[in-house]
């Protein structure tokens, strides 16, 4: 067997091996989930709804949407309990937000977790 295949087999797990209760009990760091979003009204609700139980169970501590939308994405996210930040208000001294990567690094200014996870909002 090749070393790459051996490595893969030893380090591949099914998600069911990590139930939320176990993760909450064993974790040693806080976690933030940040979602840069631009006009993602059709998809942001189901994403926040899927993350909310993990916050309630103590697996993650913060769900934040970095919003630059005109379609109500931020309102939907806030209504489901996510923190919502206008991208342009984060680190405005660096000028206008130019793209997703720019929104992501600016989002670090509001992240409170020791571990930060970025997820797509679409």
């Amino acid at each position: 067997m090749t070393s790459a295949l051996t490595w893969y087999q030893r380090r591949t797990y099914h998600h069911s091996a990590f139930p939320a209760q176990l993760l909450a009990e064993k974790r040693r760091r806080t976690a933030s989930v940040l979602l840069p979003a631009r006009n993602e009204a059709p998809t942001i609700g189901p994403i926040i709804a899927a993350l909310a139980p993990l916050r309630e169970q103590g697996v993650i501590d913060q769900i934040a949407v970095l919003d630059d939308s005109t379609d109500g994405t931020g309102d939907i996210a806030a209504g489901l309990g996510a923190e919502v930040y206008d991208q342009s208000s984060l680190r405005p001294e660096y000028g206008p937000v130019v793209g997703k990567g720019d929104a992501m690094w600016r989002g670090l200014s509001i992240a409170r977790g020791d571990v930060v996870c970025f997820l797509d909002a679409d």
Side-chain angles (χ1 to χ4, degrees):
M1 188 174 308
T2 67
S3 61
L5 183 56
T6 300
W7 179 92
Y8 173 79
Q9 289 175 337
R10 286 194 330 238
R11 290 167 176 82
T12 300
Y13 306 93
H14 191 267
H15 67 85
S16 64
F18 303 96
Q21 181 180 352
L22 177 65
L23 293 174
E25 290 172 6
K26 299 288 184 180
R27 76 180 193 145
R28 292 187 168 86
R29 301 284 185 263
T30 57
S32 294
V33 176
L34 306 183
L35 298 106
R38 181 173 291 164
N39 296 330
E40 302 296 351
T43 56
I44 197 68
I47 293 169
I48 301 298
L51 292 171
L54 295 175
R55 183 182 53 207
E56 293 164 7
Q57 294 175 66
V59 176
I60 58 177
D61 303 285
Q62 179 185 27
I63 302 169
V65 174
L66 313 171
D67 189 39
D68 184 20
S69 302
T70 57
D71 68 350
T73 296
D75 295 332
I76 295 166
L80 293 169
E83 299 172 19
V84 178
Y85 298 88
D86 178 33
Q87 291 177 10
S88 62
S89 70
L90 304 173
R91 304 304 306 257
E93 67 272 22
Y94 289 99
V97 179
V98 182
K100 180 179 179 179
D102 197 6
M104 291 170 70
W105 78 260
R106 290 172 192 244
L108 294 173
S109 67
I110 56 87
R112 295 186 302 275
D114 299 316
V115 176
V116 177
C117 173
F118 289 98
L119 296 179
D120 282 339
D122 59 358

